[in-house]
Amino acid sequence: MKPTPNEAREHRASALTLLSVEEATRSLLKGALQGLGRRPKSAAEEFERRLRAIYAGARRAARVQSERRTLAELLAVRDEAVRYGVSSPALSLSQIPKDEDADREAVDLWSSALAKTFLNRAEAEGIRPAATASRRRLELSAQAVTADAWADERERVLGGAQREETTYDFLPAVGRLWDARLDACRDCRALDLTMRPIGLDFPGGAVPGRKHWNCRCANVLVFAPIYLGRRRRAA
């Protein structure tokens, strides 16, 4: 299904916002390797401390921006629904608690793994070779950490929207499109523009942004009139 110009504009804004969060994270991670000292163990400990702070901040930023962009896309869908003749009051969605455990686990995983790899290389070859080898891993981690938090937050917001389908007539007609514009993976490209309503999984239970390591896909929102009778059929 092809998005309307207004929806497509919001989708582009969401992609650019995700990229900006990713780039800000990448910039901070470059500084994590500076001035670590000469002793491998103390350098690795300081490296891990810095990573934990950066990753925690990156996931918070990704969540804030993902929530903002998801709501903007929902409002664009509501506008299209109103033009179609579906009435809707001002939007106020239920709030599902954020998954703070997922954030802690992601921060722990990335920080400890990269610090351990750094330490092993530093003990074998020295601080400078270890730092050089870590730069590419840090760049990739910026993508993975932000995309995962972005995807998790979008699912949280849409979960709140699903609870409100009886209040807002347009919500059952929200289509979730798989958007692979930022991902070169062949499997993700095959799913590009696949549509599902809120509450129904994509093929194989795949989640945009979590289909594979470093997945940069997202689901974007469109008005899908074909779903308008879904609530009545489910009742």
Side-chain angles (χ1 to χ4, degrees):
M1 182 173 182
K2 187 177 180 179
T4 66
N6 187 39
E7 290 169 340
R9 184 164 51 251
E10 295 297 341
H11 300 166
R12 287 192 295 272
S14 293
L16 290 172
T17 301
L18 173 57
L19 288 175
S20 70
V21 175
E22 179 185 305
E23 183 56 35
T25 302
R26 187 179 293 111
S27 178
L28 289 171
L29 286 170
K30 289 179 181 178
L33 290 166
Q34 297 176 0
L36 290 176
R38 298 181 179 180
R39 296 182 179 180
K41 186 176 180 180
S42 60
E45 290 173 348
E46 175 61 18
F47 184 44
E48 182 173 358
R49 186 190 68 77
R50 294 177 183 179
L51 291 180
R52 287 182 179 278
I54 293 169
Y55 288 141
R59 288 188 68 90
R60 283 194 300 271
R63 283 188 178 279
V64 168
Q65 294 302 326
S66 179
E67 179 182 32
R68 184 176 68 85
R69 292 305 316 154
T70 304
L71 291 174
E73 289 181 32
L74 277 173
L75 289 174
V77 172
R78 187 191 66 177
D79 290 345
E80 296 302 324
V82 170
R83 293 189 186 96
Y84 191 82
V86 179
S87 62
S88 175
L91 192 62
S92 179
L93 300 180
S94 297
Q95 290 293 309
I96 294 177
K98 288 181 171 60
D99 191 350
E100 295 181 357
D101 288 340
D103 288 335
R104 282 193 292 268
E105 289 171 6
V107 170
D108 287 345
L109 175 66
W110 280 101
S111 302
S112 60
L114 288 172
K116 182 177 180 180
T117 301
F118 175 90
L119 176 59
N120 291 339
R121 190 73 174 261
E123 289 179 333
E125 302 177 27
I127 297 295
R128 182 170 295 180
T132 300
S134 295
R135 289 193 178 95
R136 177 56 178 164
R137 298 187 184 95
L138 290 178
E139 182 175 345
L140 293 174
S141 75
Q143 297 175 195
V145 169
T146 54
D148 179 71
W150 183 280
D152 188 65
E153 186 65 13
R154 177 152 291 213
E155 291 300 308
R156 185 188 71 83
V157 174
L158 293 179
Q162 188 177 5
R163 293 181 177 184
E164 301 292 345
E165 284 192 349
T166 58
T167 303
Y168 301 95
D169 288 344
F170 84 95
L171 285 177
V174 174
R176 297 157 58 237
L177 281 184
W178 190 291
D179 183 358
R181 77 181 72 194
L182 299 179
D183 199 303
C185 165
R186 183 176 62 182
D187 291 341
C188 286
R189 287 288 181 183
L191 287 169
D192 194 36
L193 300 183
T194 300
M195 187 169 69
R196 291 290 187 272
I198 295 175
L200 185 65
D201 289 343
F202 285 101
V207 177
R210 292 178 167 178
K211 182 168 173 56
H212 56 81
W213 183 83
N214 229 24
C215 179
R216 300 170 81 192
C217 292
N219 68 77
V220 296
L221 309 179
V222 296
F223 176 57
I226 61 172
Y227 294 146
L228 277 174
R230 185 167 62 93
R231 186 181 65 196
R232 290 189 291 271
R233 289 196 299 269

